[in-house]
């Protein structure tokens, strides 16, 4: 396995969502990350929308901070494939992602019609391919792509090479997926992996499921998820996007200090996985 200290780490937008995109870039640089993830489109209606798509002052400021810090963008969020989605409307977002140097675009499947999701993922990949982007599907148990088996079926049926799956430990566990399921998937489906921890007990209701996932995850290594097992089941050396939203912790601790603590904890779990060979 690749040495744990050599594994590239990214600071996910959701971990420091109180920051603007420019502040996220600076935070990731100050906390010692290799990459940053940026949220170009809000995930929910009540979330702050940053005017970064197109020729905007914020985009220019973000590009300047990326250049000044040497920070790179790993992924951008979030595109939703819904029943009424017109994929062409996402082109400006994709163009901005490419300008920022992103490699991956996080996609959520929110359409119960699987055939339509397959078709629209393919269209999205075709728009993204000339821009050097990989729209990647993240299975989440409250979406219509609930677990990795469904996600893998959609990715395969799309027939596109510039797509794949994003594994998030909390979603993977809450969907009831197994490490054997993970090992059985084609290695080329994975470009990076998200990282967090959570209580071992699975929520019994949707509200708790959503709250844990969006607001109160745990520091890697301090919860009950089999993070070492997941790392061992995935291709070696994938970049790790540290995605740990913690509303209570955020009220008392600066974003950069949380980011540093999470980086140290992630490195420790990576070391444990490496030593488990």
């Amino acid at each position: 396995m690749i040495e744990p200290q050599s594994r590239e780490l990214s600071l996910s937008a959701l971990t420091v969502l109180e920051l603007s995109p420019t502040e996220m870039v600076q935070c990731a640089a100050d906390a010692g990350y290799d990459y940053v993830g940026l949220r170009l489109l809000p995930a929910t209606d009540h979330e702050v929308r940053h005017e970064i798509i197109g020729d905007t002052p914020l985009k220019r400021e973000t590009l300047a901070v990326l250049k000044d810090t040497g920070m790179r963008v790993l992924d951008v969020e979030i595109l939703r494939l819904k029943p009424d989605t017109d994929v062409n409307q996402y082109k400006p977002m994709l163009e901005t992602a490419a300008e920022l140097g992103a490699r991956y675009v996080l996609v959520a499947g929110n359409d119960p019609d699987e055939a339509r999701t397959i078709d629209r993922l393919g269209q999205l990949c075709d728009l993204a391919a000339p821009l050097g982007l990989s729209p990647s599907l993240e299975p989440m148990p409250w979406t219509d792509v609930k677990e990795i088996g469904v996600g893998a079926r959609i990715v395969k049926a799309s027939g596109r090479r510039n797509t794949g799956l994003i594994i998030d430990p909390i979603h993977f566990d809450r969907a009831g997926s197994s490490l054997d399921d993970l090992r059985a998937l084609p290695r080329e489906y994975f470009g990076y992996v998200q990282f967090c921890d959570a209580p071992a007990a699975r929520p019994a209701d949707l509200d708790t499921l959503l709250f844990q996932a969006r607001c109160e995850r745990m520091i890697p290594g301090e919860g009950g998820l089999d993070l070492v097992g997941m790392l061992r089941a995935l291709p070696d050396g994938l970049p790790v996007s540290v995605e740990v939203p913690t509303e209570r912790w955020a009220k008392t601790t600066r974003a950069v200090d949380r980011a540093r603590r999470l980086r140290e904890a992630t490195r420790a779990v990576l070391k444990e996985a490496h030593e488990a060979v």
Side-chain angles (χ1 to χ4, degrees), residues 6-137:
S6 300
R7 186 79 75 101
E8 292 179 314
L9 302 185
S10 179
L11 179 63
S12 169
L14 190 57
T15 303
V16 289
L17 202 57
E18 73 269 29
L19 303 181
S20 70
T22 52
E23 292 169 336
M24 288 180 184
V25 173
Q26 190 65 57
C27 180
D30 292 344
Y33 286 77
D34 305 285
Y35 292 101
V36 67
L38 298 176
R39 185 162 284 187
L40 304 188
L41 289 174
T44 61
D45 292 338
H46 63 266
E47 196 176 290
V48 174
R49 177 184 290 268
H50 297 287
E51 297 301 325
I52 192 171
I53 295 175
D55 185 18
T56 69
L58 180 58
K59 187 190 74 176
R60 293 192 293 271
E61 291 167 13
T62 304
L63 285 168
V65 178
L66 285 167
K67 182 178 180 181
D68 290 346
T69 60
M71 184 56 52
R72 297 168 289 167
V73 178
L74 180 67
D75 65 328
V76 296
E77 304 175 356
I78 175 175
L79 298 187
R80 294 192 182 278
L81 299 180
K82 302 177 181 180
D84 61 349
T85 294
D86 177 359
V87 170
N88 289 305
Q89 291 185 351
Y90 286 146
K91 189 174 181 181
M93 186 269 209
L94 295 173
E95 291 173 341
T96 294
E99 286 185 77
L100 294 168
R103 295 166 57 183
Y104 301 96
V105 181
L106 191 152
V107 180
N110 293 101
D111 188 342
D113 187 327
E114 188 170 311
R116 190 163 52 206
T117 299
I118 292 166
D119 181 61
R120 286 178 174 160
L121 179 62
Q123 293 177 38
L124 189 61
C125 288
D126 291 344
L127 282 176
L131 300 170
L133 294 166
S134 175
S136 299
L137 199 57

Side-chain angles (χ1 to χ4, degrees), residues 164-205:
L165 295 175
I166 301 169
I167 301 301
D168 182 318
I170 192 170
H171 303 329
F172 177 86
D173 177 83
R174 281 14 182 179
S177 298
S178 74
L179 296 181
D180 287 339
D181 295 334
L182 198 51
R183 294 187 194 98
L185 294 177
R187 305 292 83 183
E188 63 268 20
Y189 281 10
F190 304 105
Y192 70 105
V193 60
Q194 294 183 339
F195 215 58
C196 66
D197 215 331
R202 291 172 180 161
D205 61 273

Side-chain angles (χ1 to χ4, degrees), residues 201-219:
R202 291 172 180 161
D205 61 273
L206 179 60
D207 286 345
T208 305
L209 180 75
L210 288 169
F211 179 75
Q212 283 187 358
R214 292 177 174 172
C215 305
E216 285 297 339
R217 302 191 191 185
M218 297 180 69
I219 294 171

